[in-house]
Amino acid sequence: MSELETLTAAYQNLKSRNQNIDMTRGKPSAAQLDLAAGMFDLVHSDDCRGEDGTDYRNYGILAGIPEARKLFADLMETTPDRVIVGGNGSLAMMYDALAGAVTFGVPGGEGPWKAAKFLCPVPGYDRHFAICERLGIEMLPVEMLEDGPDMDAVEAMVAEDASIKGIWCVPKYSNPTGAVYSDLTVDRLAAMKCAAPDFRIIWDNAYVVHHLTGEIASVKNIQKVAEAAGNADRILTFVSTSKISLAGAGVAAMSASEANVKDALERMFFATIGPDKINQLRHVRFFKDQAGIEAHMKKHAEIIAPKFAVVEKALSEAFAGTNLASWTKPQGGYFVSVDLTDGCAAETVRLCAEAGVKLTASGACFPYGKDPRDRNIRLAPTMPTPDELERAMEVFCTTAKMVCLKKAG
């Protein structure tokens, strides 16, 4: 029996198990969410005031409570006056920033963005791309390298085209490749010449403390570099505790220049009379400071690092020594990016679903959902239990290898 025939028989056997395992998104597992259970006991009806006595049950404090601004300022390596603390997710704050730019413009510009374009490192984060598509911002893909986007391409494009208004960046443990931006990449992004005076870098530092190993990556502070280069308004930085505390009830924050903070607060004035200050207070009391966040994230790593090890072991056993697949070995974050033989990703995802393993749609990590080579698949190991993950990887590796061998003829 040939290897392809053996794999086909194994696939049919796996398909008959009637499994239902979801690996479509980077969700924290229940065990990770349980780590923040103590948060629910930290704010009571008779104890919900700030350090200065302010009653946080009421309206107001648009930029977030002072204690939370201080906590996030330390995390984002800035000062509290440059931080806005918002609701439960940074995605909403990023959407608001770009929706505001399209509707009203931004500091340094000449009014609303019209026929705007955005650079999108690929493979990248599908929800970033969805924001652009929703707002009618044309997306231009640029290749993601091990140390960040292809800066030769980025610099050439932004220098020539004033309609290119920004770029998406996930600088540490990038989604989905796990890439970490080098100091040189940060320097070039902060100082590059842009035809658009209102160019913006959306610095989505979603995985800033999401380490998997003791080898902790560091990324240069792009806001400070941009200020030194005379481009202080270029950077909008976002973080959240969505994958630190509670995915559906975390706290998000944005840091930026004085002008950008002022602009954001002016827009927010018409949309809200204040954020959920009780939840912000709950987070401050739970984490206390940066050291508290770091200690908490070590507990996360103890839960999810073994899952990434399961993925690495399965991929190595299935594909090492072949030319059928390559994959990333991230030091942190939530994903493993796999590149199969060209033309094999969509069929692999389809057949995995038929065998009970749901994966992120092929092409999702590219603008408009179109992977020109139909090869990239994002694996999200965190949500399944270890046993489920082992079974899911058996399905994935068997299916992917079968599809690739069929493609090879």
Side-chain angles (χ1 to χ4, degrees), residues 228-383:
N231 298 316
D233 293 341
R234 180 175 292 182
I235 315 300
L236 299 175
T237 299
F238 299 87
V239 298
S240 82
T241 70
S242 294
K243 291 182 173 68
I244 298 175
S245 57
L246 303 170
V251 178
M254 180 190 86
S255 70
S257 67
E258 181 180 352
N260 280 327
V261 168
K262 181 175 181 291
D263 177 63
L265 289 173
E266 287 175 351
R267 289 198 315 273
M268 290 171 61
F269 174 82
F270 295 96
T272 180
I273 310 177
D276 182 346
K277 294 176 288 296
I278 298 298
N279 195 35
Q280 292 182 7
L281 180 62
R282 184 183 295 122
H283 278 73
V284 170
R285 289 181 176 174
F286 184 76
F287 292 116
K288 296 182 177 65
D289 52 27
Q290 179 69 10
I293 293 176
E294 292 173 356
H296 186 76
M297 293 312 295
K298 288 180 180 178
K299 298 175 184 178
H300 276 265
E302 290 172 358
I303 293 172
I304 67 175
K307 296 184 180 183
F308 278 78
V310 168
V311 173
E312 171 61 27
K313 181 175 183 290
L315 292 172
S316 294
E317 290 178 350
F319 295 107
T322 77
N323 60 357
L324 302 178
S326 61
W327 60 95
T328 58
K329 302 174 180 62
Q331 294 174 263
Y334 259 59
F335 305 101
V336 174
S337 182
V338 180
D339 284 334
L340 302 177
T341 304
D342 288 7
C344 292
E347 181 67 358
T348 296
V349 170
R350 184 184 72 81
L351 291 177
C352 281
E354 289 188 1
V357 176
K358 298 176 183 177
L359 302 173
T360 303
S362 60
C365 297
F366 293 76
Y368 309 106
K370 297 178 180 178
D371 176 357
R373 298 177 62 176
D374 184 26
R375 66 171 184 163
N376 181 258
I377 295 175
R378 184 182 75 182
L379 299 180
T382 55
M383 182 68 174

Side-chain angles (χ1 to χ4, degrees), residues 40-159:
F40 293 105
D41 303 322
L42 296 178
V43 178
H44 306 282
S45 59
D46 59 349
D47 182 25
C48 48
R49 295 179 181 271
E51 294 175 358
D52 63 356
T54 301
D55 188 344
Y56 287 156
R57 297 173 301 173
N58 221 322
Y59 290 130
I61 317 182
L62 194 60
I65 65 174
E67 298 92 335
R69 295 180 82 183
K70 172 63 168 60
L71 181 68
F72 278 100
D74 291 343
L75 180 63
M76 302 168 88
E77 300 179 325
T78 187
T79 55
D81 61 301
R82 297 293 183 86
V83 173
I84 297 174
V85 184
N88 73 312
S90 56
L91 195 66
M93 299 186 84
M94 288 185 279
Y95 179 87
D96 179 70
L98 290 191
V102 168
T103 307
F104 305 110
V106 298
E110 297 177 351
W113 287 359
K114 301 297 183 183
K117 302 171 186 174
F118 234 71
L119 299 185
C120 300
V122 295
Y125 181 28
D126 54 332
R127 297 303 293 266
H128 287 166
F129 304 155
I131 289 175
C132 282
E133 192 165 6
R134 178 65 174 172
L135 296 175
I137 299 173
E138 182 181 349
M139 292 178 277
L140 305 175
V142 293
E143 185 180 2
M144 173 65 82
L145 307 177
E146 290 183 0
D147 61 349
D150 180 349
M151 286 307 301
D152 289 342
V154 169
E155 288 171 336
M157 295 169 78
V158 301

